[in-house]
Amino acid sequence: MQKDLTTFQTELGLQFNDPLLLRQAFTHRSYLNEHRGEAAGHNERLEFLGDAVLELISTHFLYEKYPESAEGDLTAYRAALVNAVTCAEVATAIGMNDFLLLSRGEAKDTGRARNILLANAFEALVGAIYLDLGYEAAREFIGKHLFPKIEQIIREKLWQDAKSALQEKAQETEGATPRYTVLKETGPDHDKYFVVGVYVKDTLLAEGSGKSKQEAEQAAAREALDKKGW
């Protein structure tokens, strides 16, 4: 049974002026196909807005936190901080999975597919907070739930170019260059998600997903490095 979003607000210390806007942030397009009378629309427009809000607030945060870092490093930090994997982790941690409004088919998805839905909903939630409660509320929410991730990102060097590191290790140990192949592509043109496999000598080392082929390739490379112990 779907939980009441009032519970979600209370647990996070939020109080929306427009409850329908919060509901919209959790509503996947597929849900509307089975619930024609739904008052709130789906969350794709909110996701579009939230993505921009997330990027601006994260950029400002990193600019102030790492005053000695070069532009290229800050860009890499930001990419690791706001990518689909990190957003899905935060969404899971704050309990968003219990409130997603999905079609019966989408509700069966688990693993990588569910994480993509969670990442989208997290961005939509940020967009909804920004619209309903303002910039400061969005900044506080992101600061509390997302920014603590940066310490792990820096410590584990998750921001570094995993593809370059994998290529170096593969050539050194296997005498071969990694090859990346798109295994799956989903979503509308404006909101694509990619699953990419990385191969060495025709052996699939790992898979990764992301909102772009580049992000998915980096995720696959990081997973391959981890699996191989490189």
Side-chain angles (χ1 to χ4, degrees):
M1 183 176 177
Q2 190 66 35
K3 291 187 178 180
D4 185 354
L5 279 169
T6 303
T7 305
F8 180 78
Q9 289 191 82
T10 302
E11 290 175 351
L12 290 186
L14 299 170
Q15 186 57 57
F16 270 71
N17 298 302
D18 182 0
L20 279 181
L21 196 61
L22 176 60
R23 183 177 176 85
Q24 184 179 349
F26 283 86
T27 305
H28 189 260
R29 177 186 286 271
S30 66
Y31 182 82
L32 301 185
N33 296 331
E34 297 176 0
H35 300 81
R36 297 293 183 180
E38 175 68 26
H42 60 73
N43 63 8
E44 289 175 10
R45 282 171 54 85
L46 284 175
E47 179 195 341
F48 167 76
L49 176 62
D51 179 64
V53 173
L54 194 58
E55 185 158 314
L56 173 59
I57 291 174
S58 297
T59 299
H60 190 183
F61 163 71
L62 293 169
Y63 180 85
E64 292 190 330
K65 184 172 178 63
Y66 300 103
E68 304 302 320
S69 295
E71 177 192 359
D73 287 344
L74 291 173
T75 299
Y77 296 169
R78 184 181 63 197
L81 183 61
V82 303
N83 68 21
V85 173
T86 309
C87 287
E89 287 176 356
V90 175
T92 300
I94 63 176
M96 291 185 69
N97 193 51
D98 293 334
F99 299 91
L100 292 178
L101 295 171
L102 308 168
S103 68
R104 287 186 291 273
E106 294 283 356
K108 295 176 183 177
D109 286 338
T110 57
R112 183 178 287 108
R114 176 54 64 92
N115 285 339
I116 289 172
L117 297 176
L118 282 165
N120 287 349
F122 178 76
E123 290 183 346
L125 176 61
V126 169
I129 292 171
Y130 170 75
L131 279 181
D132 191 86
L133 300 172
Y135 178 87
E136 278 304 310
R139 187 184 63 79
E140 288 179 14
F141 174 77
I142 295 168
K144 180 178 181 180
H145 298 288
L146 182 68
F147 290 168
K149 291 281 187 181
I150 195 62
E151 302 298 338
Q152 178 191 8
I153 287 168
I154 300 297
R155 183 175 64 252
E156 299 182 11
K157 299 181 179 179
L158 299 178
W159 58 275
Q160 290 187 339
D161 183 1
K163 287 180 66 179
S164 295
L166 181 62
Q167 179 171 318
E168 183 178 324
K169 288 292 187 180
Q171 289 176 339
E172 177 185 316
T173 61
E174 307 284 344
T177 299
R179 173 174 56 84
Y180 297 85
T181 301
V182 175
L183 302 178
K184 187 177 181 182
E185 185 176 325
T186 59
D189 288 341
H190 72 279
D191 190 26
K192 289 286 188 185
Y193 271 89
F194 299 88
V195 177
V196 167
V198 58
Y199 297 79
V200 171
K201 292 183 176 178
D202 295 325
T203 299
L204 177 63
L205 295 186
E207 296 180 13
S209 61
K211 289 190 170 185
S212 67
K213 291 179 184 178
Q214 292 80 7
E215 184 178 309
E217 288 172 356
Q218 287 287 345
R222 278 193 296 273
E223 182 69 15
L225 286 166
D226 186 54
K227 283 185 174 180
K228 298 289 284 185
W230 289 343

